[in-house]
Amino acid sequence: MSQPTPSQVHAPAPLSPILPLWQLLFCGAFVVTLSMGIRHGFGLWLQPICMERGWSRESFSFALAIQNLVWGLSGPLVGWWADRRGATAPLWLGALLYAAGLLGMATSTHLGLFTLSTGVLIGCAQACSTYAVVYGVIGRHVSAQQRSWAMGITAAAGSFGQFLMVPLSSTLISGVGWQTALWVLAGTALLIVPLGWGLRADRPAPRPSAAPAQPGVTVAIDPQGPMSALGALREALAHPSYQLLTAGYFVCGFQLAFIGVHLPSYLKDHALPAHVATTALALIGLFNIFGTYGIGQLGQRWSKPYLLAGIYALRAVAMVAFIAVPPSALSVGLFAATMGVLWLSTVPPTNAIVAQMLGVRHLSMLGAVVFLSHQLGSFCGVWLAGHLYDLTGSYQVVWWIAIALGVTAAVLNLPVREHQPPKGRLGEALA
């Protein structure tokens, strides 16, 4: 019988059985379509809820800021769970929490309960039902050669959800009232349950066993055993490129949360009709379908850090051009289309870089840690915009902060080395 020796290097087995590509993309994409589509319309509820409840914009903004923060903080834990047990259970929990949070958002008359439902419950729901979980499945089932493309498809689905759900939300608010509209969306969120069932084959492979080998068979065993999630996280956090990528993603969250939540109110303050804001948010979703898919394709051939730097720089230019002139229906449409191309186009290259640098075994967790930085930025963008508006009566200062941060993120991403693994066991496993 051949005996294992410490010099033999364990070659890890695939993390999970293969899901058919069409099933993986269909279920994953529609999960993101529903989860992100509902989320992108929350800005439409700012003024109706504040007017009926008598709350300030900062109060509403704080609840959504808590939502983004809870989403980010719970993401690494949910990602660790999905890496160990597969995506289905987190998706089911996310659907139930989403529905409960939307019902609480519709019925809460006390600001504390509104923050609990809109902030905490929906924040946890989004951690369970968006990119970290779905991209973990993609990382486990799609080869490195197709990974950026597949992630682009999924991000484009999130954009389609915005294009589809924002006009639907606006129509429901005007047709049946803002409360009933939230009840309808709560029922829609439960569609994530059957989609999660379609990903039930996503299971981590059994850990390698130290059992005696069969006669004549050589067993290769890593003498140190499988690397723990904590060990992988420690090595990732010490990687300079991971640090820069994480810092840059803060800016993405700040910009998207500020514009997504406060753009409708900004336009209404400039006496533009409500349909202009609805059209703007829908255009962002429509053009982002092309942006995320296109960037996913380009990421297969071009440097992903340079693509990210270009995206952040172009966002800054677009915002400068937008606030340089009084907003009109035409300027809003042009701004929305431009920002749409750049909206979620950071998501495929960011997650593909994480997979390239750090591997796929802990991808959901490590991707969620980067996303935590994004959500810290979202917290600041949503809350600070509401706070400064109540303080100054204008969003002008926030626009300039978002512009300066865009330039900063462009610079931060230039030194990122996507093909350089970290030092230590995590890097050795990828060598």
Side-chain angles (χ1 to χ4, degrees), residues 366-390:
L366 296 177
V369 172
V370 179
F371 190 67
L372 171 58
S373 175
H374 183 285
Q375 293 309 95
L376 291 172
S378 297
F379 176 90
C380 294
V382 172
W383 171 78
L384 189 63
H387 176 70
L388 290 178
Y389 180 89
D390 287 344

Side-chain angles (χ1 to χ4, degrees), residues 19-69:
L19 279 169
L21 184 60
W22 70 267
Q23 181 178 332
L24 169 66
L25 293 180
F26 177 86
C27 294
F30 271 93
V31 165
V32 175
T33 294
L34 293 172
S35 185
M36 294 298 291
I38 293 171
R39 175 184 185 270
H40 280 307
F42 283 150
L44 300 174
W45 272 270
L46 188 154
Q47 291 197 353
I49 290 179
C50 288
M51 290 176 63
E52 181 158 331
R53 302 299 192 208
W55 298 336
S56 66
R57 291 192 188 186
E58 182 180 0
S59 298
F60 183 93
S61 299
F62 181 73
L64 288 187
I66 290 294
Q67 177 189 114
N68 284 287
L69 185 61

Side-chain angles (χ1 to χ4, degrees), residues 23-392:
Q23 181 178 332
L24 169 66
L25 293 180
F26 177 86
C27 294
F30 271 93
V31 165
V32 175
T33 294
L34 293 172
S35 185
M36 294 298 291
I38 293 171
R39 175 184 185 270
H40 280 307
F42 283 150
L44 300 174
W45 272 270
L46 188 154
Q47 291 197 353
I49 290 179
C50 288
M51 290 176 63
E52 181 158 331
R53 302 299 192 208
W55 298 336
S56 66
R57 291 192 188 186
E58 182 180 0
S59 298
F60 183 93
S61 299
F62 181 73
L64 288 187
I66 290 294
Q67 177 189 114
N68 284 287
L69 185 61
V70 169
W71 181 3
L73 289 172
S74 57
L77 180 61
V78 172
W80 170 81
W81 179 24
D83 285 333
R84 288 178 61 87
R85 301 299 182 187
T88 299
L91 290 174
W92 286 352
L93 178 61
L96 297 176
L97 290 176
Y98 222 139
L102 289 167
L103 293 179
M105 186 176 176
T107 58
S108 298
T109 56
H110 187 276
L111 193 56
L113 293 176
F114 180 80
T115 303
L116 176 64
S117 57
T118 307
V120 178
L121 292 183
I122 296 181
C124 289
Q126 289 167 348
C128 292
S129 60
T130 49
Y131 293 112
V133 172
V134 174
Y135 277 176
V137 183
I138 290 174
R140 288 188 285 272
H141 293 272
V142 178
S143 67
Q145 291 72 27
Q146 290 185 298
R147 194 174 291 140
S148 180
W149 166 79
M151 290 179 175
I153 289 285
T154 308
S159 306
F160 177 74
Q162 180 173 354
F163 174 69
L164 175 69
M165 299 298 292
V166 169
L168 174 62
S169 297
S170 179
T171 301
L172 288 171
I173 291 172
S174 60
V176 299
W178 66 267
Q179 287 177 304
T180 305
L182 288 169
W183 280 79
V184 173
L185 292 184
T188 304
L190 294 176
L191 294 175
I192 294 174
V193 171
L195 293 169
W197 179 254
L199 299 175
R200 67 192 181 281
D202 177 46
R203 292 289 185 273
R207 295 187 182 277
S209 172
Q214 297 296 321
V217 178
T218 299
V219 179
I221 297 176
D222 180 355
Q224 302 181 69
M227 189 173 192
S228 69
L230 183 60
L233 178 60
R234 187 182 300 114
E235 290 190 11
L237 291 175
H239 193 338
S241 289
Y242 188 77
Q243 296 168 0
L244 291 170
L245 191 69
T246 302
Y249 221 27
F250 175 94
V251 176
C252 182
F254 186 100
Q255 293 173 333
L256 267 58
F258 161 53
I259 295 172
V261 173
H262 291 278
L263 181 63
S265 297
Y266 174 78
L267 298 178
K268 189 169 184 179
D269 290 343
H270 284 79
L272 292 175
H275 70 82
V276 174
T278 302
T279 302
L281 293 178
L283 282 174
I284 288 174
L286 175 63
F287 279 86
N288 196 38
I289 296 172
F290 306 109
T292 49
Y293 181 77
I295 290 296
Q297 291 280 61
L298 291 176
Q300 300 294 111
R301 300 185 295 274
W302 293 6
S303 164
K304 288 181 275 293
Y306 285 4
L307 286 174
L308 287 171
I311 291 167
Y312 288 120
L314 288 173
R315 282 187 188 176
V317 171
M319 285 185 278
V320 169
F322 180 58
I323 65 174
V325 297
S328 64
L330 177 59
S331 70
V332 171
L334 292 173
F335 174 71
T338 303
M339 285 300 297
V341 173
L342 307 169
W343 193 252
L344 292 177
S345 54
T346 58
V347 176
T350 297
N351 284 272
I353 290 172
V354 174
Q356 179 71 38
M357 288 194 308
L358 306 174
V360 299
R361 172 165 294 275
H362 302 287
L363 179 57
S364 290
M365 181 193 67
L366 296 177
V369 172
V370 179
F371 190 67
L372 171 58
S373 175
H374 183 285
Q375 293 309 95
L376 291 172
S378 297
F379 176 90
C380 294
V382 172
W383 171 78
L384 189 63
H387 176 70
L388 290 178
Y389 180 89
D390 287 344
L391 209 61
T392 66

